[in-house]
């Protein structure tokens, strides 16, 4: 057999290079400058400039918005933000508020640990930092609920300090732009993304640049069906060039989500008041007010007979209510009793109380429980 010529070998090597996905390019100053410059030019025309926390912009308002936007989209968070700052306009007011007030303002936004951490962090700022957010990355990350990216976002947007962020939107943009393989939640992949994020920092306009990254990921470089033709950095985006936008970033390895069930006891007295029980200070829905809830019917009946002066068998069985958490699914199985009373030795206390409907709006109540109660209003 005749050996292939040198020109044939070169052609074969070139073909293999073209067919293989390109490795993540090294982050040099030219690429970084081009990325940031294009992104800022796009932001000036297409970015979001009228978000409620931008006018006025203050460290407290930036911090509150960043905590609300963890796991929550802007359109959902905006009305909650406006209601929150109308009631608690600054850090001192937040620190002085009761936990019930804070959870009531947060009610319906979900992921309530964010609200509890926000409240705890405000109190620590009063104790340690003169009632202000510290302008220091390490001091911020030492506060409850503030990680490295959130701290950087606060510093860059509130004071214009030069720090990289790496929230979900930015991870997606950088993974696609640089062709980074691997699930971004893995430490090695996350370290690579942090290095790339640092490499792209512009010398100025950090407030706009930070917002621009989040805006690009939220409105153009979306998880599904990204609008690549509108993207300001499409010209050298590895994922677009090699047709890998659907593959990147690599999704988290899937696993079965467990299904759980809970018996919910909906008790109304003769005046139409509803009985609510405060959840324990830790765990799901910690410190929120909810209908008495138990894992199985035997425990529910046992609690009912101890606390309620009525017949358990007289309940009205209602349709199940499905609710999904990040790590499991929950099916609530509600039963309702009307015109009942607590046993004399129970009565109202700090963790078990009758509430009139007019009082419910100010309470921190989990969204599925609130919807259940309000559906019968």
């Amino acid at each position: 057999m005749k050996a292939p010529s040198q020109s044939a070998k070169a052609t074969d090597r070139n073909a293999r290079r073209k067919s293989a996905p390109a490795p993540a390019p090294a982050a040099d100053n030219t690429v970084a400058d081009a990325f940031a410059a294009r992104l800022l030019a796009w932001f000036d025309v297409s970015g979001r400039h009228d978000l409620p926390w931008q006018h006025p912009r203050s460290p407290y308002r930036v911090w509150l918005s960043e905590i609300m936007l963890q796991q929550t989209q802007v359109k959902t968070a905006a009305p909650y933000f406006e209601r929150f700052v109308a009631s608690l306009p600054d850090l001192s007011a937040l620190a002085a508020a009761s936990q019930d007030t804070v959870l009531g303002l947060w009610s319906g936004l979900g992921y309530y640990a964010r609200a509890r951490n926000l409240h705890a962090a405000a109190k620590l700022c009063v104790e340690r930092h003169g009632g202000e957010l510290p302008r220091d990355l390490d001091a911020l990350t030492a506060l409850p609920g503030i990680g490295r990216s959130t701290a950087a976002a606060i510093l860059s947007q509130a004071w214009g300090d030069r720090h990289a962020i790496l929230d979900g939107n930015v991870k997606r943009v950088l993974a696609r732009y640089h062709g980074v393989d691997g699930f971004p939640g893995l430490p090695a992949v996350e370290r690579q993304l942090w290095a790339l994020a640092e490499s792209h920092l512009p010398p100025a306009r950090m407030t706009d640049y930070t917002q621009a990254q989040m805006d690009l990921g939220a409105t153009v470089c979306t998880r599904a069906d990204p609008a690549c033709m509108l993207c300001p950095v499409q010209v050298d985006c590895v994922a677009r060039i090699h047709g890998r936008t659907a593959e990147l970033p690599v999704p988290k390895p899937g696993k079965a989500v467990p299904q759980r069930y809970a018996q919910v006891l909906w008790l109304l007295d003769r005046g139409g008041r509803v009985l609510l029980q405060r959840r324990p200070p830790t765990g799901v829905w910690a410190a929120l007010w909810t209908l008495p809830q138990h894992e199985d019917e035997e425990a529910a009946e046992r609690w009912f007979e101890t606390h309620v002066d009525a017949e358990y068998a007289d309940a009205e069985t209602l349709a199940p209510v499905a609710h999904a958490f990040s790590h499991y699914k929950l099916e609530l199985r509600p039963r309702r009793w009307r015109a009942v009373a607590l046993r004399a030795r129970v009565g109202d206390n700090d963790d078990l109380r009758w509430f009139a409907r007019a009082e419910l709006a100010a309470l921190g109540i989990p969204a599925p429980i609130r919807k259940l109660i309000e559906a019968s209003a």
Side-chain angles (χ1 to χ4, degrees), residues 61-92:
R61 291 167 68 89
V62 169
W63 170 42
L64 176 59
S65 70
E66 285 300 315
I67 300 302
M68 284 191 168
L69 291 172
Q70 293 170 354
Q71 309 291 332
T72 304
Q73 294 182 345
V74 165
K75 64 181 180 181
T76 301
Y80 283 91
F81 175 89
E82 292 176 328
R83 185 177 68 158
F84 200 101
V85 295
S87 180
L88 304 174
D90 54 37
L91 191 149
S92 296

Side-chain angles (χ1 to χ4, degrees), residues 22-158:
D28 58 41
N29 290 335
T30 303
V31 174
D33 289 345
F35 179 90
R38 290 170 185 155
L39 192 53
L40 283 166
W42 170 85
F43 175 75
D44 289 339
V45 176
S46 303
R48 296 181 289 195
H49 301 273
D50 294 310
L51 300 174
W53 39 88
Q54 295 173 331
H55 309 287
R57 192 191 301 272
S58 70
Y60 172 72
R61 291 167 68 89
V62 169
W63 170 42
L64 176 59
S65 70
E66 285 300 315
I67 300 302
M68 284 191 168
L69 291 172
Q70 293 170 354
Q71 309 291 332
T72 304
Q73 294 182 345
V74 165
K75 64 181 180 181
T76 301
Y80 283 91
F81 175 89
E82 292 176 328
R83 185 177 68 158
F84 200 101
V85 295
S87 180
L88 304 174
D90 54 37
L91 191 149
S92 296
L94 171 59
S98 68
Q99 181 173 252
D100 277 344
T101 296
V102 175
L103 291 175
L105 291 168
W106 202 274
S107 184
L109 197 55
Y111 297 95
Y112 292 93
R114 296 180 296 174
R116 294 190 294 274
N117 286 333
L118 188 79
H119 193 208
K123 292 182 176 182
L124 287 174
C125 285
V126 170
E127 294 173 12
R128 301 175 182 175
H129 305 292
E132 301 290 342
L133 274 178
R135 187 177 174 177
D136 177 80
L137 188 69
D138 291 336
L140 281 174
T141 56
L143 295 172
I146 300 182
R148 176 181 172 183
S149 184
T150 298
I154 294 168
L155 291 167
S156 62
Q157 292 185 95

Side-chain angles (χ1 to χ4, degrees), residues 122-361:
K123 292 182 176 182
L124 287 174
C125 285
V126 170
E127 294 173 12
R128 301 175 182 175
H129 305 292
E132 301 290 342
L133 274 178
R135 187 177 174 177
D136 177 80
L137 188 69
D138 291 336
L140 281 174
T141 56
L143 295 172
I146 300 182
R148 176 181 172 183
S149 184
T150 298
I154 294 168
L155 291 167
S156 62
Q157 292 185 95
W159 291 288
D161 293 347
R162 197 166 181 267
H163 292 282
I165 66 168
L166 195 66
D167 68 0
N169 284 319
V170 178
K171 286 180 179 179
R172 185 165 58 255
V173 169
L174 293 179
R176 286 174 174 166
Y177 183 76
H178 287 286
V180 176
D181 279 302
F183 171 54
L186 295 174
V189 179
E190 189 170 50
R191 283 195 297 271
Q192 183 181 3
L193 292 173
W194 270 116
L196 292 169
E198 295 279 358
S199 76
H200 286 305
L201 291 178
R205 295 190 65 188
M206 278 305 306
T207 297
D208 289 344
Y209 179 69
T210 299
Q211 187 65 53
Q213 294 174 87
M214 295 187 286
D215 287 358
L216 184 69
T219 65
V220 175
C221 193
T222 51
R223 183 176 288 105
D225 300 320
C228 294
M229 293 302 101
L230 302 178
C231 180
V233 296
Q234 60 168 290
V235 64
D236 40 20
C237 173
V238 172
R240 185 198 66 79
I241 292 169
H242 293 280
R244 303 190 66 203
T245 54
E247 301 172 21
L248 299 174
V250 174
K252 182 178 182 179
K255 63 178 181 179
V257 178
Q259 175 72 59
R260 299 181 186 175
Y261 303 90
Q263 309 297 318
V264 174
L265 284 64
W266 184 358
L267 303 165
L268 299 166
D269 70 2
R270 292 187 182 279
R273 297 183 302 171
V274 61
L275 186 70
L276 295 182
Q277 187 174 44
R278 193 195 299 273
R279 297 281 294 179
T282 59
V284 174
W285 293 337
L288 298 182
W289 288 95
T290 185
L291 298 173
Q293 181 178 315
H294 300 274
E295 291 186 1
D296 57 61
E297 188 166 356
E298 183 179 342
E301 185 171 0
R302 214 167 34 241
W303 183 92
F304 183 94
E305 291 175 349
T306 302
H307 292 78
V308 185
D309 188 11
E311 294 294 328
Y312 185 80
D314 291 341
E316 174 188 1
T317 301
L318 304 173
V321 176
H323 185 70
F325 293 97
S326 59
H327 52 300
Y328 70 91
K329 296 178 182 177
L330 178 65
E331 182 179 281
L332 302 173
R333 296 177 170 179
R335 288 181 171 85
R336 181 167 55 192
W337 293 260
R338 299 178 186 273
V340 300
L342 293 178
R343 295 192 183 277
R345 65 178 182 276
V346 179
D348 275 2
N349 57 66
D350 288 343
D351 296 322
L352 186 68
R353 290 180 52 194
W354 294 105
F355 289 95
R357 284 192 178 274
E359 298 177 283
L360 300 181

